[in-house]
Amino acid sequence: MSRPGGRMDQELRRIWVTREWGESEIEQARSLGLEPVIRPAIRIVPVSPKRRRVLPDPAIWIFTSKNGVAGFSSWRENESNLSDPRAWFAVGEQTANALGRLGIHAVWPAEENATGLAHEILRWMDLNMAESNREKVQMIHWGGNRSRPELANELRKAGHTLIRQIVYETDLVNVQIPVPPVEAILFYSPSAVEAVRKSNAWPDPMPKLFAIGPTTAEALSLECNHPVQMPDTPSTEALMELVARDVRRSPNLSNDTES
């Protein structure tokens, strides 16, 4: 079989994806010459509050993942008297798009990480709130039980306390090393890195390592002491394009395995 233009199909390069992908993502990866091995390292479990919680008003609501948006959406369905906040914030475009599908417009920073998000929130407050009211506003983070501390730490430096509203839990999964070998592993969170470590599932030799963003890249570097690459934009599309470019420059790993 040949591709348009007369080029022969190249063998798909196997990559281990440590989270669930949809069919569209899998097909896109294959169009780039990649064969995803979907082996999630974490499991996301939505959580409903055990008791009704009175949320402060006025407040700023903050989201740092699509999982947080999904958990919030489920939570909101059971809270008919939930009033809207002063402002909505997302850590990046992907999370903002998830909120957009709920009809919510969220602000997100140019620097799509916890530090950039904290600075964007503080900048918004400076522009939109009287100085006397800034100390009164409360910030609610709709997130998970394993949320990273960077955002809270950045806001604390400016004198603000982040209220955690847990709407999902992250469970670590016992994963197995894919066989035949893969040429790359794609990580989306530090929790996935932890799950692979606890499962003792690091391949030998180590494939190329890729992270969705700097927090995950840092966790990988500390865990493995191997080079880690990440895309300029923290999206699955940008990540798989980076992987495709890189593995095409590298020879295939041997598919020979011990019987």
Side-chain angles (χ1 to χ4, degrees), residues 170-222:
T170 302
D171 292 341
L172 305 186
V173 174
N174 184 26
V175 293
Q176 301 295 320
I177 300 173
V179 176
V182 296
E183 295 189 52
I185 313 178
L186 282 59
F187 286 91
Y188 283 79
S189 69
S191 295
V193 176
E194 182 181 355
V196 171
R197 174 179 62 80
K198 289 188 172 180
S199 301
N200 194 26
W202 294 113
D204 185 17
M206 184 73 77
K208 294 178 177 292
L209 300 177
F210 295 85
I212 191 68
T215 304
T216 304
E218 181 182 9
L220 264 174
S221 296
L222 291 173

Side-chain angles (χ1 to χ4, degrees), residues 5-251:
R7 290 188 304 156
M8 297 299 292
D9 274 342
Q10 295 181 346
E11 180 183 356
L12 297 181
R13 316 294 282 271
R14 285 168 53 84
I15 61 171
W16 175 6
V17 183
T18 60
R19 57 156 270 187
E20 294 287 356
W21 269 7
E23 282 300 319
S24 62
E25 294 167 316
I26 292 173
E27 288 304 314
Q28 184 178 0
R30 287 173 177 162
S31 74
L32 293 170
L34 306 173
E35 181 57 48
V37 179
I38 309 299
R39 196 157 293 185
I42 61 174
R43 182 186 301 110
I44 302 299
V45 181
V47 172
S48 297
K50 295 181 172 59
R51 57 185 175 84
R52 184 177 297 275
R53 179 171 183 174
V54 178
L55 298 178
D57 184 30
I60 290 173
W61 290 0
I62 304 167
F63 297 80
T64 55
S65 71
K66 291 188 288 186
N67 292 324
V69 175
F72 161 77
S73 178
S74 177
W75 196 89
R76 186 171 66 165
E77 290 177 0
N78 299 315
E79 293 288 332
S80 58
N81 63 341
L82 196 61
S83 59
D84 285 343
R86 287 286 303 271
W88 307 76
F89 287 89
V91 72
E93 185 175 8
Q94 298 295 314
T95 304
N97 288 342
L99 285 166
R101 289 189 283 273
L102 300 178
I104 297 167
H105 173 72
V107 177
W108 75 89
E111 182 185 357
E112 298 184 25
N113 56 37
T115 300
L117 178 56
H119 292 169
E120 188 68 31
I121 293 169
L122 297 173
R123 186 180 304 113
W124 181 91
M125 293 173 64
D126 287 342
L127 294 174
N128 294 278
M129 300 184 69
E131 186 174 357
S132 59
N133 292 331
R134 293 172 200 164
E135 294 182 0
K136 301 175 185 177
V137 71
Q138 299 199 52
M139 305 178 187
I140 299 177
H141 177 208
W142 300 82
N145 62 319
R146 301 174 67 88
S147 295
R148 301 282 299 179
E150 288 84 358
L151 177 61
N153 292 343
E154 287 293 325
L155 292 172
R156 188 178 299 113
K157 293 176 185 176
H160 299 284
T161 299
L162 192 64
I163 301 171
R164 296 180 64 197
Q165 179 64 61
I166 295 176
V167 290
Y168 71 91
E169 291 183 349
T170 302
D171 292 341
L172 305 186
V173 174
N174 184 26
V175 293
Q176 301 295 320
I177 300 173
V179 176
V182 296
E183 295 189 52
I185 313 178
L186 282 59
F187 286 91
Y188 283 79
S189 69
S191 295
V193 176
E194 182 181 355
V196 171
R197 174 179 62 80
K198 289 188 172 180
S199 301
N200 194 26
W202 294 113
D204 185 17
M206 184 73 77
K208 294 178 177 292
L209 300 177
F210 295 85
I212 191 68
T215 304
T216 304
E218 181 182 9
L220 264 174
S221 296
L222 291 173
E223 179 63 42
C224 301
N225 195 29
H226 280 262
V228 179
Q229 299 182 64
M230 63 180 183
D232 294 333
T233 303
S235 69
T236 291
E237 181 178 6
L239 180 61
M240 68 173 70
E241 288 177 354
L242 172 63
V243 174
R245 289 195 302 270
D246 189 81
V247 299
R248 283 173 180 165
R249 294 195 295 264
S250 306

